Amino acid sequence: MQWITALDFQILHEIQNRFSCSFLDFWMPKITALGNGGILWILLAVLLLCISKTRKNGIQLGVGNMGCGLIGNLLLKNLVARDRPCWLEEHAMLIAVPQDYSFPSGHTMASFAAATVLWHWNRKVGLAAYLLAGIIAFSRLYLFVQFPSDVLAGALLGCLVGIAAVRLVDLGEKKIVHKRKEA
C-alpha cells in the first residue's frame, strides 16, 4: 500500500508542477463544488422526476446517488479510513480541508454514477456528463484533497453503481408491469 501512496503523491506533485495557475486556482474550487454532496446530480434527478417522459431516469439517478452515498461515503470511507493527501503533506489549500476520509472519492463516484445513468438514457447527454465527471475528478486532484487512486476507484465504483441503478430500476419497472398484467 505504501508504494501506491508514493505513486499517488508523485502524480499529485506532477499535477501541481504542470497545471498550477491562477486560472485553475479560480475555477477548480467552483468545479469541485458542483460535486459537493452530489448536489448537482440530486438537482438533476429532481428535475428529471418532474417531467413524465424522464421520470424513470430521475429515479435511476436518485437510486445511483443513494447507492454512492451508502457504499462510498458511509461504508468504504469509514472501512478503509485513508487519510487525505492534504492531511499528510502541507499544501496551500484553495478550499476548506475535508474532514472525512479520502477513499473512494465521493465527488468522483457520484459524478461517474450519474454520467453512467445519463449515458443509458441519452448518449449525448451522457458524454457531456462523463466530461464533467472527469473535470470534477481532476479538480479533486488539483485541489490536493484526493489521491489519484481514490479518484480512479471512485470512477470505477461510480460506473458500477450507475449500471446497477439502471438495472435495478428497470427490473422494478418490469415487476410492476408484470403485476399489473396479472391483476
Side-chain angles (χ1 to χ4, degrees), residues 55-133:
R55 192 161 292 137
K56 176 180 163 183
N57 309 109
I59 293 168
Q60 291 168 332
L61 205 50
V63 169
N65 271 306
M66 286 188 285
C68 288
L70 293 171
I71 294 166
N73 290 5
L74 292 179
L75 179 67
L76 290 175
K77 278 188 186 278
N78 294 307
L79 190 64
V80 176
R82 186 179 194 193
D83 289 342
R84 290 181 178 272
C86 56
W87 297 357
L88 300 173
E89 271 190 18
E90 197 166 316
H91 186 77
M93 298 302 291
L94 300 172
I95 61 170
V97 175
Q99 299 303 306
D100 61 338
Y101 292 112
S102 188
F103 182 91
S105 169
H107 283 68
T108 305
M109 190 173 173
S111 297
F112 275 85
T116 301
V117 167
L118 294 170
W119 173 265
H120 280 85
W121 167 52
N122 179 304
R123 298 288 192 249
K124 287 181 184 178
V125 172
L127 184 59
Y130 275 123
L131 179 62
L132 180 56

Side-chain angles (χ1 to χ4, degrees), residues 17-36:
N17 292 335
R18 290 184 185 264
F19 297 104
S20 187
C21 66
S22 59
F23 177 80
L24 292 179
D25 286 355
F26 176 80
W27 282 107
M28 287 294 122
K30 290 162 183 48
I31 290 167
T32 214
L34 294 174
N36 289 351

